[in-house]
Every structure is written in C-alpha cells, then in structure tokens.
Amino acid sequence: MNEIKIFSPATIANISCGFDVLGCCLDSVGDEMVIRKTQEKGLKISKIIGEDLPLDIHKNVAGVAALAFLEKLNKDLDFGFEIEIYKKIKPGSGIGSSAASAAGVVFALNELLNKPFSKLELVEFARKGEELACGQPIADNVAPAIYGGFTLVKDTDPLKIIELPNLDNLYATIIHPLIEIKTADARAILPNKIKLDDAVKQWANVGSLVHALHTQDYNLFASSLTDYIVEPYRSKLIPEFEKVKNNALKEGALGCGISGSGPSIFAFSRGNQIAVNVAGAIKHIYKETNINFNIYISKINSDGLKIIDAK
Ligand code: ADP
C-alpha cells in the first residue's frame, strides 16, 4: 500500500458526568486525510484545504503526532510520507478538530506500515498532538476517534483506555455557535475544589452511565447525563445554553451538555427522528440572535476512523 485516504471523525469529549474521561465518536461529521509514501525521505504536510492551519510539521498536530509515531518506530525507512488534510471540523469548535488530525495521521501511518502498533499506542502518539493544541496530552477525544463508540480514559500515566459498548440506536445533535471560547478560559473558570455532595452524585452518574451502555438501558443512560461539577461554570461562557438544553430535552433528547470545552452543545437522542426534531427545536434559538451556527446530526460511530480508499 502506497497511499491511503481516510475519514477522520469528530468526537464528543467531557460527556456530562464524564469530564476529562468519557468520550464518543461521531459518524457523519469529520475530516478526510490522504497520507502517501514519497520517494523523498522525511515527513511533510503538502496540502490543507478548508482551514488556515500551519503546514509546518512542528506546529500542526498531525505533524507532531506523526513524528511521535516515527520516533517510536525507530526504523531507517527508504521512503518518506506526505500528508493532505481536508478539514471539515472547525478548529476550536469543541468537537475534536485537532484530535481528528492527530488520530487520523497515526492510524493512516499504521495501516501503511502493516500495523506495527496497537490502538493504545496510537492514542499515545496522537495525544502528543493534543499537547500541542491545548498544552496537555489529553486523550479523551483521540481515544474515541481511534477505538470508536464510547471510551473511558481510566488512567493517563500509564495510559489505560476502556472501550465501552455503544447504544444500538443512539444519535447526537450538535449545535456549534460560531463564537470563540479559549480552552485556557474554559479551564480557568473551573473551581479548584468541589463539594463532596456534588462529587458523590457525579461518580454515581459515571458508574450508572457505564452500566447503561452495557445493558442498553436508555432510561438509565438519560438519567446519568447530569453534570454537577463543570457545566454550572462553563455554561456561562455559552450564550443561550440553558434555552438550548431545555428545548432539546422538551423535544425528547436523552440528555444535553457541553461538548469538549465548548462552544458546541450536544444532545443525545434515541433514533434519528428525535435527533432531527431536536435540531429543529434548537436552531431557531440562535436564529433569533446575531450568532451564526452550524448544526450536525450523527449516529454514534462504533468503528472510529475509516479507510475510504487505499492503493
Ligand atoms: P477542538 O476542541 O475543536 O479540537 P482545540 O482547541 O483542541 O479545538 O484545537 C484547535 C487548536 O489546535 C487551534 O489553535 C489550531 O490552530 C491548532 N491546530 C494545529 N493543528 C491543527 C489541525 N491539524 N487541526 C485542527 N487544529 C489544529
């Protein structure tokens, strides 16, 4: 194989009760990437379409993740690689734009080189890219992109990822108000200490959400999607958050919360029709403001990254 074209999915991290640990993978929202072997040795990003992002491999998360992969491979290859990125996920949207590039490139390299690394090792390389984007080697977006479905970051040092089952008919509606929230601001607004009462409710929810996924229990899943710790602070940074959440729940959504560090808001629904209804019920909220937005509906993707073409 000399060239591979992949779909690199968007992801939802910080799923309500699961701040920094629970993520899931989307299906109809994502970037495309082409990675091909070149006669010239080394690594370069030859093309980025759709967004103004650095071609410099040390400044682009795709380059940094690929370098981590090649360094660990530690082989003197007699060819090099070039990367093309077709960006559809807006950087800073909160649905894993940087993670899609970081996870995508290491997945593609692994395929081109006959899979020398495990999924866990790919997450390790991809999180080096995330470190460039947000200062910390977070894994809660790159893990669901690589494993698919729902993932739990059990530990970061050493890294341990738990693959969780998906609900069989689960859809997400995502609304992305086109405002900028700096990840640093979204972190700075969080308290250093939390109340024990809140912590108890939160970890009960994480446990019951995991159980709900294992037992296909939509009611338990819905009742676990409450965040007592982060959302009360971060939601203040997102205009109309409460209205969006109330309308989504009224329309039958199972739950609604902040995707990543925002500004995107996700709502989960059982089945496509409810997800479509939720989209209809929330988009008029931003239409009544001067805030532009994008809206997406996607099934939760159990497979993660996908090969579109290989030659
Ligand atoms: P998101 O939550 O949508 O991934 P992040 O804040 O994590 O947003 O990442 C966006 C940051 O990463 C931006 O500063 C962007 O310039 C930088 N970046 C570097 N390379 C890429 C890339 N290939 N794709 C997306 N963002 C990138």
Side-chain angles (χ1 to χ4, degrees), residues 159-228:
L159 185 67
K160 177 146 178 70
I161 306 292
I162 300 187
E163 272 185 273
L164 297 169
N166 193 359
L167 296 181
D168 53 15
N169 198 18
L170 189 64
Y171 282 76
T173 307
I174 287 140
I175 191 155
H176 173 208
L178 299 177
I179 56 162
E180 189 189 353
I181 296 179
K182 295 212 163 62
T183 308
D185 292 343
R187 285 260 162 200
I189 204 169
L190 299 180
N192 289 326
K193 290 186 178 166
I194 59 171
K195 285 203 278 175
L196 185 61
D197 281 359
D198 289 339
V200 171
K201 288 189 269 185
Q202 193 91 350
W203 62 56
N205 273 345
V206 177
S208 61
L209 189 139
V210 169
H211 186 68
L213 293 173
H214 278 280
T215 53
Q216 296 285 317
D217 187 337
Y218 283 85
N219 290 333
L220 185 64
F221 181 76
S223 71
S224 309
L225 286 170
T226 302
D227 176 0
Y228 294 96

Side-chain angles (χ1 to χ4, degrees), residues 2-311:
N2 286 315
E3 178 178 322
I4 184 167
K5 183 176 185 187
I6 59 159
F7 170 73
S8 194
T11 43
I12 302 173
N14 293 339
I15 297 174
S16 297
C17 52
F19 178 64
D20 268 1
V21 295
L22 272 175
C24 73
C25 186
L26 299 174
D27 203 26
S28 56
V29 194
D31 297 342
E32 286 179 6
M33 300 177 82
V34 174
I35 288 90
R36 83 174 58 83
K37 291 182 186 166
T38 54
Q39 279 184 345
E40 194 186 332
K41 286 190 180 189
L43 179 73
K44 71 171 181 197
I45 300 174
S46 51
K47 204 192 256 185
I48 302 175
I49 306 287
E51 291 292 337
D52 186 16
L53 289 165
L55 289 166
D56 180 339
I57 53 169
H58 300 285
K59 294 191 177 140
N60 192 303
V61 299
V64 171
L67 286 174
F69 178 108
L70 294 170
E71 192 182 314
K72 185 73 187 285
L73 187 71
N74 195 21
K75 273 199 185 140
D76 187 20
L77 302 170
D78 57 3
F79 50 86
F81 299 95
E82 68 176 355
I83 305 167
E84 296 174 0
I85 305 174
Y86 299 86
K87 204 85 205 146
K88 311 257 173 71
I89 317 168
K90 273 206 161 313
S93 53
I95 51 171
S97 177
S98 52
S101 292
V105 75
V106 296
F107 168 79
L109 288 173
N110 207 41
E111 295 292 324
L112 284 172
L113 296 171
N114 294 323
K115 298 198 182 160
F117 294 118
S118 68
K119 286 184 178 177
L120 186 67
E121 287 171 305
L122 297 184
V123 174
E124 283 285 16
F125 307 138
R127 68 199 277 241
K128 294 274 173 14
E130 289 290 71
E131 192 168 15
L132 174 76
C134 69
Q136 286 174 312
I138 53 167
D140 52 343
N141 284 104
V142 290
I146 288 170
Y147 286 86
F150 282 81
T151 54
L152 182 113
V153 182
K154 157 79 176 74
D155 232 321
T156 51
D157 187 18
L159 185 67
K160 177 146 178 70
I161 306 292
I162 300 187
E163 272 185 273
L164 297 169
N166 193 359
L167 296 181
D168 53 15
N169 198 18
L170 189 64
Y171 282 76
T173 307
I174 287 140
I175 191 155
H176 173 208
L178 299 177
I179 56 162
E180 189 189 353
I181 296 179
K182 295 212 163 62
T183 308
D185 292 343
R187 285 260 162 200
I189 204 169
L190 299 180
N192 289 326
K193 290 186 178 166
I194 59 171
K195 285 203 278 175
L196 185 61
D197 281 359
D198 289 339
V200 171
K201 288 189 269 185
Q202 193 91 350
W203 62 56
N205 273 345
V206 177
S208 61
L209 189 139
V210 169
H211 186 68
L213 293 173
H214 278 280
T215 53
Q216 296 285 317
D217 187 337
Y218 283 85
N219 290 333
L220 185 64
F221 181 76
S223 71
S224 309
L225 286 170
T226 302
D227 176 0
Y228 294 96
I229 293 173
V230 175
E231 187 179 294
Y233 294 91
R234 284 199 170 165
S235 57
K236 294 178 195 145
L237 299 173
I238 305 174
E240 312 295 346
F241 176 81
E242 290 305 328
K243 260 196 205 170
V244 169
K245 184 166 179 165
N246 289 337
N247 280 25
L249 295 176
K250 252 190 245 157
E251 211 53 51
L254 301 163
C256 178
I258 301 167
S259 181
S261 51
S264 287
I265 303 169
F266 70 87
F268 286 128
S269 299
R270 183 174 194 167
N272 184 52
Q273 189 55 53
I274 298 176
V276 171
N277 297 347
V278 167
I282 60 179
K283 65 182 172 198
H284 79 89
I285 296 171
Y286 286 115
K287 278 193 183 152
E288 285 163 14
T289 68
N290 56 4
I291 301 170
N292 289 326
F293 62 90
N294 291 323
I295 194 152
Y296 310 101
I297 296 168
S298 171
K299 197 169 199 299
I300 304 307
N301 164 3
S302 295
D303 303 321
L305 287 139
K306 285 176 194 165
I307 299 172
I308 299 172
D309 197 14
K311 47 192 171 198

